[in-house]
Amino acid sequence: MFKQTFLSLCLCFPLSKAIATENQVTLSVENSWPPYADKQGNGLSTSLVIAAFNAVGIKPIISVKPYARVLYDLQFGNTDGGYNVTRQQSTEERFHFGTQYLLKAPASFYYSDPEFSQANSLSDLPDNSRIGLIIDYEYGDTYEAHRHRFSEIRVPTQVQLIRMLMADRIDGAIMFDRVANYTQEQIRQERPALYKGFQNHVSDIYVAFSRSSPSSGQLAEALDRGLSLIRDNGQYRRIMSGELQYNISHSSN
């Protein structure tokens, strides 16, 4: 399918407080969640964010960094917003959200030992199970209620999770389905059997806005309008199907 590619400007920022102007917004995105955001920050999420803000006449200025740094900058007001953030109780306490989600991302329990095939939910996993997760990712309120029972091993990348499963260093991992499929394709030559188990949750993925930014409410409302527009005019569907893509232009100042 023919893919159109558009460019948006990406600049690097000092660690001063971010200030939104009338026609632009500073945003941060992670660099390790393909196909939503790859190591250059490009992917489905970035395309949706650029299209939605462009639809309401706002230029997103996007910086790319590890997810933990995205959350840090949001917390301390170094950026107006950050995206690919799961909206749940723990994040609602820290950040401001609009009413419209960016996308929904289902996540499942993955394992390599067939003995875990009988597990139908987190409740079925034995205490002290070794569960692989990504550093600072959110896995839903249900997981939060069970996490005290597990031995968590958190790593920076999806590739590490899969390789730890292959090496039997963890009993299972919670991975977002499209991310797991994408990552397994990248390392398919060295992949043994990897099983997809029960669905852990479906994350409502949002752009989160810093509570330190005086413009957070206005920006959230503008994004809501933009998302409504691109859903109505078909851009949202074309982006999610891979037909249309907006990329970050990586330039330095």
Side-chain angles (χ1 to χ4, degrees):
M1 184 176 294
F2 178 72
K3 180 183 290 186
Q4 295 173 291
T5 302
F6 297 83
L7 299 179
S8 179
L9 182 63
C10 172
L11 298 176
C12 299
F13 294 95
L15 295 181
S16 58
K17 298 295 182 183
I19 301 176
T21 66
E22 183 177 354
N23 296 314
Q24 73 178 38
V25 56
T26 61
L27 299 171
S28 296
V29 64
E30 66 185 293
N31 57 3
S32 61
W33 203 45
Y36 300 107
D38 62 18
K39 61 184 178 181
Q40 284 83 37
N42 293 319
L44 298 172
S45 297
T46 292
S47 292
L48 293 172
V49 166
I50 293 172
F53 275 119
N54 284 350
V56 291
I58 297 175
K59 180 171 70 173
I61 310 297
I62 303 171
S63 57
V64 184
K65 56 195 67 176
Y67 187 67
R69 187 53 184 266
V70 173
L71 298 182
Y72 176 91
D73 284 352
L74 272 171
Q75 185 78 35
F76 292 98
N78 298 323
T79 185
D80 295 316
Y83 55 99
N84 288 343
V85 178
T86 296
R87 185 171 185 172
Q88 60 184 46
Q89 183 177 350
S90 61
T91 54
E92 286 182 333
E93 292 170 354
R94 300 167 63 191
F95 310 124
H96 182 84
F97 294 91
T99 60
Q100 292 209 34
Y101 62 82
L102 193 60
L103 53 88
K104 287 183 176 287
S108 300
F109 178 74
Y110 289 81
Y111 59 95
S112 58
D113 188 335
E115 75 173 84
F116 285 93
S117 63
Q118 302 303 312
N120 295 313
S121 70
L122 291 170
S123 300
D124 295 331
L125 298 179
D127 290 352
N128 300 314
S129 293
R130 300 169 300 167
I131 305 299
L133 306 167
I134 297 294
I135 295 170
D136 283 322
Y137 273 24
E138 305 89 15
Y139 292 92
D141 292 329
T142 300
Y143 179 79
E144 291 298 317
H146 283 272
R147 67 181 301 180
H148 67 280
R149 300 197 300 110
F150 304 137
S151 175
E152 286 188 359
I153 298 92
R154 290 192 178 246
V155 296
T157 70
Q158 313 291 330
V159 170
Q160 287 173 284
L161 282 183
I162 291 175
R163 287 179 174 161
M164 289 172 72
L165 273 174
M166 293 175 181
D168 197 32
R169 293 176 57 195
I170 54 177
D171 299 313
I174 298 174
M175 293 186 285
F176 291 91
D177 295 342
R178 288 187 73 158
V179 180
N181 292 340
Y182 180 94
T183 306
Q184 288 181 79
E185 283 299 313
Q186 302 306 302
I187 58 174
R188 60 187 179 277
Q189 291 87 356
E190 53 187 278
R191 178 183 59 171
L194 192 65
Y195 303 103
K196 177 181 174 182
F198 60 86
Q199 185 177 92
N200 179 67
H201 71 297
V202 178
S203 273
D204 292 333
I205 303 298
Y206 277 76
V207 178
F209 293 95
S210 175
R211 292 190 179 275
S212 299
S213 170
S215 304
S216 61
Q218 294 171 309
L219 289 170
E221 291 175 4
L223 178 63
D224 284 342
R225 293 196 305 273
L227 286 170
S228 292
L229 287 170
I230 67 171
R231 284 187 169 104
D232 290 343
N233 67 20
Q235 283 191 79
Y236 189 97
R237 176 192 56 77
R238 294 176 65 203
I239 288 169
M240 293 302 291
S241 69
E243 179 184 354
L244 177 64
Q245 180 175 326
Y246 292 83
N247 283 344
I248 301 167
S249 174
H250 293 271
S251 58
S252 59
N253 56 353

